[in-house]
Amino acid sequence: MTTYRTLRIAMNGVTGRMGYRQHLLRSILPIRAQGGVELPDGTRLQVAPVLVGRNESKIRELAAQHDVEHWTTDLDGAIADPGIDVVFDASMTALRAKTLTKAMQAGKHVYTEKPTAETLAEAVDLARLREETGVTAGVVHDKLYLPGLVKLRRLVDEGFFGRILSLRGEFGYWVFEGDHQAAQRPSWNYRAEDGGGMTTDMFCHWNYVLEGILGTVRTVTAQTTTHIPARWDEQGQEYTATADDAAYGIFGVETPAGDPVVAQINSSWAVRVYRDELVEFQVDGTHGSAVAGLTKCVAQQRAHTPKPVWNPDLPVTESFRDQWLDVPANADLDNGFKAQWEEFLRDVAAGRPHRYDLLSAARGVQLAELGLRSSAEGRRLDVPEITL
Ligand SMILES: NC(=O)c1ccc[n+]([C@@H]2O[C@H](COP(=O)([O-])OP(=O)(O)OC[C@H]3O[C@@H](n4cnc5c(N)ncnc54)[C@H](O)[C@@H]3O)[C@@H](O)[C@H]2O)c1
């Protein structure tokens, strides 16, 4: 007979884009529907979400719509509730550090969206608090669970690239200003005073992507900018975009073998897509190259590398994209957010740390902070190691 154990998860920020779509709809509800996750001893670990939000009618409606029994507008009460095991946060970035601090102090395990804090000092304090309390803490590192990046990492593990030389990443799409067509991202994202900004938003992702694929980030050079100075908010009011909406970064990375890799990543909300996917990374090595997106990954080995010859007098005759081979998944790769949730839940059950923790997140916040400083000061900066 199967034994069941249930974790009660207070979910804060579930009326937001990420909290609702990726965490509630795509992760926790499907995990609940499949009867939880199986633990090594055969026990099934079930999840029981408790929805937390500021707006009573919204949160009650959401709970009813998805057959969730418990909801509350009292975040502090949920954190203090001895029946709650895990506190999850996908609320606005500016509110996060306070929520996570209270939750860990109350002995709760925490799972959270990124960035974990607005400043490095706060992010490091959170990582320290986790060490002191011994709770399990997980921070969303969703990009590493994307099928495209899983395949890319496999190529690295198999030694496909030889010596890795460089990575180039292209991320972004056009975010409408909100005047004639509604913006497809929340307005706080474009206000620095509300915790918005491309660098703050994306450099924490790029830090764990670079760590997860290549190695440790040692230096950063960035130019950040606000291409679109005015936007229109959810109420149709014009506002000044005080945050950067694009960040062009060059990162000096060191592989575990000690080889230097130059990584360049462009991130922009003011770019139109001429790519196969909304994010793409190309890795070039002495023995092969690969291009990975969210789902696809293609590769070209040294022995199959054509020899292009520069001749501006003739039209291109080669179809360069056709010269790459598809890298198979060789497994059923589920939604990345759900996959990480399942891993985190197993870590909570086992009472062990989660591999993508608050320290990794603090390195992400550090890279964002240094990126902004590099741009402001117009120079390359070293990335110091964080010790707790
Ligand atoms: N992992 C990823 O790829 C990814 C992508 C986008 C955003 N995020 C992160 O997720 C978090 C939420 O982003 P989002 O795009 O879902 O934002 P959103 O604006 O859609 O949602 C924010 C949530 O916070 C709640 N909230 C609580 N107090 C608030 C206040 N005072 N003002 C405004 N909202 C308040 C809102 O009700 C809502 O539920 C951010 O920290 C962001 O950095 C992560």
Side-chain angles (χ1 to χ4, degrees), residues 11-277:
M11 300 187 75
N12 187 40
V14 277
T15 57
R17 256 171 8 124
M18 297 309 294
Y20 181 62
R21 284 194 224 150
Q22 295 303 336
H23 295 283
L24 187 63
L25 274 196
R26 302 294 310 274
S27 301
I28 292 299
L29 294 179
I31 292 173
R32 185 179 72 169
Q34 73 193 23
V37 294
E38 190 174 306
L39 301 180
D41 66 358
T43 304
R44 288 209 71 94
L45 183 67
Q46 180 55 295
V47 290
V50 176
L51 306 189
V52 186
R54 292 169 302 161
N55 183 321
E56 181 173 335
S57 65
K58 259 197 201 168
I59 207 84
R60 190 195 304 124
E61 207 173 291
L62 201 65
Q65 191 187 343
H66 296 289
D67 199 19
V68 173
E69 198 184 339
H70 299 286
W71 56 267
T72 177
T73 54
D74 179 9
L75 174 62
D76 286 344
I79 289 173
D81 181 348
I84 295 288
D85 303 287
V86 177
V87 173
F88 164 72
D89 188 65
S91 180
M92 258 178 86
T93 304
L95 308 172
R96 177 151 309 126
K98 212 168 88 189
T99 303
L100 297 181
T101 302
K102 281 188 194 163
M104 286 191 284
Q105 280 169 345
K108 308 297 182 199
H109 305 292
V110 294
Y111 192 66
T112 177
E113 261 298 346
K114 45 51 62 179
T116 48
E118 285 187 294
T119 66
L120 174 60
E122 281 176 316
V124 171
D125 282 348
L126 288 171
R128 283 205 185 103
L129 187 58
R130 195 223 70 83
E131 296 276 299
E132 284 162 29
T133 54
V135 299
T136 301
V139 183
V140 173
H141 280 40
D142 55 294
K143 308 288 178 277
L144 288 178
Y145 291 80
L146 290 169
L149 269 75
V150 170
K151 295 172 196 172
L152 186 64
R153 175 68 222 191
R154 199 170 69 222
L155 293 177
V156 174
D157 291 340
E158 286 175 355
F160 170 81
F161 294 103
R163 183 165 60 83
I164 295 178
L165 309 172
S166 64
L167 172 145
R168 61 204 67 212
E170 197 60 56
F171 167 81
Y173 45 92
W174 190 266
V175 175
F176 282 89
E177 293 89 331
D179 47 354
H180 299 298
Q181 293 192 56
Q184 68 271 44
R185 290 175 53 81
S187 59
W188 67 263
N189 281 206
Y190 302 90
R191 289 189 295 264
E193 61 276 23
D194 289 338
M198 178 60 95
T199 313
T200 310
D201 194 356
M202 295 315 294
F203 275 29
C204 47
H205 285 296
W206 303 152
N207 185 70
Y208 72 69
V209 165
L210 293 172
E211 282 185 0
I213 304 294
L214 301 175
T216 308
V217 182
R218 299 288 185 208
T219 62
V220 55
T221 315
Q223 177 155 351
T224 72
T225 188
T226 307
H227 288 303
I228 310 287
R231 290 178 177 270
W232 282 259
D233 67 14
E234 290 75 6
Q235 284 72 44
Q237 291 296 312
E238 187 176 357
Y239 65 94
T240 304
T242 47
D244 51 309
D245 56 13
Y248 305 89
I250 303 176
F251 308 94
V253 181
E254 187 182 337
T255 68
D259 292 325
V261 178
V262 181
Q264 268 174 277
I265 307 180
N266 294 330
S267 315
S268 177
W269 299 129
V271 65
R272 295 184 176 86
V273 179
Y274 188 69
R275 280 173 248 137
D276 292 332
E277 306 211 44

